[in-house]
Amino acid sequence: MNVEQLTKAKSLGFSDRQIGHLTGTTEDEIRALRKKIGLVPSYRLVDTCAAEFEAYTPYYYSTYDRGDDEVKGNTAKKVMILGGGPNRIGQGIEFDYCCVHAAFALKEDGFETIMVNSNPETVSTDYDTSDKLFFEPLTLEDVLHIYEREKCWGAIAQFGGQTPLNLALGLQKNGVNIIGTSPQEIEIAEDRKLFAAMLRKLDIPQPPNGLATNEAEALVASKALGYPVLVRPSFVLGGRAMQIVYSDAELSHYMRFAVEASPERPVLVDKFLEDATEVDVDCITDVGQFKNPADGTIVIGGMLEHIEFAGVHSGDAAMVLPPHTLSKSVMETIRQYTHAMARELKVIGLMNVQYAVKGETVYVLEVNPRASRTVPFVSKAIGFPLAKLAAKVMAGKTLKELGFTQEIWPKYWAVKESVFPFNRFHGQDILLSPEMRSTGEVMGLDADLGIAYAKSQMAANSPLPLSGRVFISVSDSHKAEAVDLAGQFVKLGFQLVATGGTATALEQAGLTVERILKISEGRPNAVDLMKNKEVQLIINTPAGQAPRADEVKIRTTAVYTNTPIMTTISGAKAALLGIAAMKKSGYAVKTVQEYH
């Protein structure tokens, strides 16, 4: 590369990484060469006032075309906040909320805030959210340029989800002051071997697990663990390519077609805990600021108990805050484990932990020393802005200084429900899995848990019916529970509809059931009833590992006809609770402020 070629390549938009790849060198070498010859981008201004009067809130983009740099310099102490980039499943608006709150909080504390994000659809890229906005891609090259150009004091990487987190180590190696939890500690939580070693040291159980870099290793690991196992690639977003596997054949297919495994990127094989309850915990801490972590403060912002059993991605599961079925001793164990890990990882700011509870045993599934997608929900439920407080902690304040040292335990229930785009994807089965698919979430608040759940269903465009017919079709393993549920629906005035085996089980329990044909047997069947609006609620749990064509048709028709459907027994129990509460007392509306 000579100077002329390099200058032309940069003005045409080639990144250092691409140029390094094409010339057989590295990104670092190209960057060093550019700096040596003084080839750096200049920043142009997008005038938010269209030149009518002076713009106090402009934003900038970089260019290698010759011209003046339009960024106004100053001597303020600056913090750079890295956004989440494009919204996608697994990393969406929840992280943007955290970035926006960080900008507001640091502005209050006298810092100049510099937002770096490339997504025009977000609030963080509104021109008046931060002091300066750089509309740039979230790559090492672009972020380093801005950091150096602005002479920033520090950068926040733990608020934008996985995208900026993946840049943290590279930025730190290039002299960026990453404030908050150090990238080395984040690496311990992300790297499975380091993570397992930490849990052994703290004597905290995790589900039995193994690592595999090829198909043979995966088969050995799963034999040792026993099926079912949960398989997933390392370092992924939103549970992409995560799967529960029940046999050698399924595992071989997964290793051949679903993932590329390598020593750098092994596949994680975990024993899947069937019928365990999953719990999400968000906490805030300043322990990393102290030489002795015991001097720091740790506050659990919220414990969220999943309504669906473990195995449904936490971004898809309905959740209840505070927990509604956990014993006091389990909650105390969760508290102790959370505190121990926060101290060990020297966390500064936010940390999210996912647990699985089986009986009275608490297992740790994973730890994320960063903002999680439940932070906005928890903040609104408890009335304290966790992301704002965390930003101030990361910039040097202690929780004692901020006056936030006690857990907040609401005197009402907050239910989070996920919203899915299934009506846009014809033929897609709506069964939830370890791979995240939701595109948003809603909240129901009430002093009564049933009504809070019913409100969340209304908000998710699937209001619970108060009368009519319930179609029940469940797997053999759920028949006993389904009989109990059906009896309660009858007491609430509903009529029962079922096919074959489920109908027989209900009749044997002395319940009156309208028998209909299975789809494969002819008509009228469940699909006809839904299309004719002759059934108001569906309870349909899968009959085996591979969904049957009949079941998929029932579930997809429910989506197109807007018929409320529950695909887990735990979801059906929550629906029953909601319907009973609504029939008894109806619901009232209050603002969030009134709850607080």
Side-chain angles (χ1 to χ4, degrees):
M1 282 303 272
N2 59 40
V3 174
E4 200 179 317
Q5 273 180 319
L6 188 54
T7 307
K8 191 174 182 192
K10 292 309 287 183
S11 72
L12 287 170
F14 285 88
S15 68
D16 288 351
R17 195 168 171 185
Q18 285 172 309
I19 296 167
H21 174 71
L22 293 168
T23 57
T25 56
T26 65
E27 180 179 0
D28 291 345
E29 287 172 287
I30 297 294
R31 182 163 49 249
L33 176 60
R34 269 196 308 99
K35 285 187 169 176
K36 191 176 167 188
I37 62 173
L39 181 59
V40 291
S42 55
Y43 291 92
R44 299 285 170 81
L45 174 148
V46 176
D47 189 342
T48 49
C49 298
E52 285 193 39
F53 38 85
E54 188 181 353
Y56 291 99
T57 51
Y59 55 97
Y60 303 95
Y61 63 95
S62 65
T63 174
Y64 277 89
D65 289 342
R66 300 275 178 238
D68 293 335
D69 193 304
E70 296 178 341
V71 177
K72 293 174 182 172
N74 60 35
T75 56
K77 197 173 185 183
K78 299 170 188 174
V79 175
M80 173 193 274
I81 300 159
L82 300 180
N87 279 359
R88 51 207 189 278
I89 289 179
Q91 179 170 293
I93 207 71
E94 307 93 334
F95 294 107
D96 199 63
Y97 164 101
C98 294
C99 293
V100 170
H101 275 231
F104 292 162
L106 295 173
K107 218 186 268 194
E108 284 170 16
D109 279 6
F111 291 94
E112 180 173 306
T113 56
I114 291 168
M115 186 71 67
V116 182
N117 203 1
S118 57
N119 185 352
E121 287 291 311
T122 58
V123 183
S124 67
T125 51
D126 282 0
Y127 59 85
D128 54 356
T129 293
S130 52
D131 294 308
K132 281 183 188 155
L133 166 64
F134 286 83
F135 220 85
E136 293 287 275
L138 287 147
T139 67
L140 188 66
E141 176 184 342
D142 294 288
V143 172
L144 275 176
H145 277 309
I146 300 163
Y147 188 86
E148 289 162 2
R149 167 70 186 76
E150 285 293 306
K151 300 184 175 64
C152 295
W153 166 72
I156 291 180
Q158 54 166 278
F159 276 5
Q162 198 71 32
T163 305
L165 213 59
N166 290 344
L167 293 177
L169 270 173
L171 290 170
Q172 192 187 47
K173 280 176 190 158
N174 283 280
V176 172
N177 172 28
I178 301 284
I179 63 173
T181 310
S182 79
Q184 285 71 23
E185 304 296 342
I186 291 169
E187 190 79 1
I188 291 172
E190 294 267 342
D191 184 296
R192 286 290 127 181
K193 284 182 181 167
L194 297 174
F195 181 57
M198 179 191 84
L199 293 182
R200 276 197 301 276
K201 178 185 169 185
L202 298 174
D203 197 23
I204 295 175
Q206 68 175 143
N209 58 69
L211 286 172
T213 57
N214 56 47
E215 188 185 328
E217 284 180 18
L219 288 165
V220 169
S222 57
K223 226 173 221 83
L225 297 169
Y227 289 108
V229 293
L230 179 69
V231 282
R232 53 187 167 153
S234 41
F235 294 93
V236 295
L237 186 70
R240 202 164 48 77
M242 261 169 119
Q243 205 172 309
I244 299 164
V245 168
Y246 292 84
S247 66
D248 283 357
E250 280 183 51
L251 184 64
S252 296
H253 185 270
Y254 176 86
M255 293 300 291
R256 280 175 206 167
F257 302 108
V259 291
E260 280 182 44
S262 68
E264 295 78 48
R265 291 285 161 107
V267 167
L268 317 171
V269 186
D270 293 338
K271 175 69 182 160
F272 178 60
L273 303 169
E274 289 187 284
D275 293 343
T277 302
E278 199 165 324
V279 181
D280 256 74
V281 175
D282 283 311
C283 79
I284 180 170
T285 170
D286 56 17
V287 293
Q289 294 180 7
F290 296 87
K291 276 201 173 115
N292 178 8
D295 295 337
T297 307
I298 301 166
V299 181
I300 288 180
M303 268 187 215
L304 297 130
E305 182 182 341
H306 293 210
I307 288 174
E308 287 84 3
F309 285 125
V312 171
H313 192 280
S314 63
D316 285 356
M319 300 182 188
V320 179
L321 182 155
H324 60 302
T325 69
L326 300 183
S327 68
K328 279 199 167 145
S329 65
V330 162
M331 288 192 275
E332 191 47 46
T333 303
I334 287 172
R335 198 171 282 116
Q336 285 169 8
Y337 288 173
T338 305
H339 283 232
M341 289 185 289
R343 291 192 201 285
E344 184 64 25
L345 290 168
K346 302 180 190 70
V347 175
I348 303 172
L350 293 167
M351 180 176 91
N352 168 265
V353 192
Q354 286 163 28
Y355 294 98
V357 179
K358 184 115 181 178
E360 289 288 299
T361 308
V362 178
Y363 297 92
V364 173
L365 299 177
E366 62 177 275
V367 175
N368 297 303
R370 58 165 172 82
S372 75
R373 68 176 65 76
T374 45
V375 164
F377 175 85
V378 171
S379 300
K380 289 190 174 183
I382 67 171
F384 282 85
L386 295 180
K388 271 187 172 177
L389 293 166
K392 293 186 176 191
V393 165
M394 290 159 78
K397 285 201 168 161
T398 65
L399 286 171
K400 279 181 184 153
E401 283 175 71
L402 295 169
F404 188 71
T405 57
Q406 295 295 316
E407 255 182 63
I408 308 295
W409 208 257
K411 291 183 172 67
Y412 45 85
W413 300 96
V415 176
K416 173 183 98 78
E417 182 56 281
S418 301
V419 178
F420 299 92
F422 294 128
N423 57 350
R424 307 286 173 88
F425 296 103
H426 283 250
Q428 255 290 322
D429 193 3
I430 66 167
L431 272 188
L432 301 181
S433 73
E435 187 163 1
M436 184 173 165
R437 295 152 95 186
S438 84
T439 48
E441 57 192 42
V442 294
M443 179 184 214
L445 287 176
D446 204 90
D448 181 292
L449 176 57
I451 292 173
Y453 181 77
K455 284 180 176 179
S456 74
Q457 299 310 297
M458 289 178 217
N461 285 331
S462 184
L464 298 171
L466 300 184
S467 61
R469 295 154 101 191
V470 183
F471 172 73
I472 302 175
S473 170
V474 296
S475 64
D476 290 342
S477 60
H478 293 140
K479 291 257 190 327
E481 287 179 287
V483 167
D484 181 45
L485 282 170
Q488 293 184 60
F489 272 110
V490 170
K491 281 180 192 164
L492 290 172
F494 285 83
Q495 290 93 47
L496 304 177
V497 181
T499 56
T502 306
T504 302
L506 296 175
E507 283 166 350
Q508 283 170 352
L511 295 167
T512 305
V513 187
E514 181 187 334
R515 275 180 177 264
I516 58 167
L517 298 171
K518 290 181 176 174
I519 295 171
S520 53
E521 294 170 349
R523 306 173 77 165
N525 55 47
V527 167
D528 297 322
L529 293 185
M530 281 187 269
K531 286 179 177 172
N532 297 338
K533 298 288 178 193
E534 290 172 13
V535 65
Q536 281 64 48
L537 180 68
I538 308 279
I539 297 169
N540 174 239
T541 66
Q545 279 84 61
R548 294 179 186 157
D550 272 19
E551 293 177 12
V552 176
K553 202 157 192 183
I554 288 170
R555 291 193 284 264
T556 50
T557 306
V559 171
Y560 306 143
T561 56
N562 275 338
T563 310
I565 177 164
M566 302 294 154
T567 58
T568 61
I569 288 291
S570 51
K573 285 177 181 170
L576 189 68
L577 193 70
I579 292 167
M582 291 284 284
K583 281 180 82 86
K584 185 181 171 192
S585 54
Y587 69 95
V589 176
K590 273 162 77 171
T591 63
V592 174
Q593 288 81 353
E594 285 174 89
Y595 280 104
H596 297 158

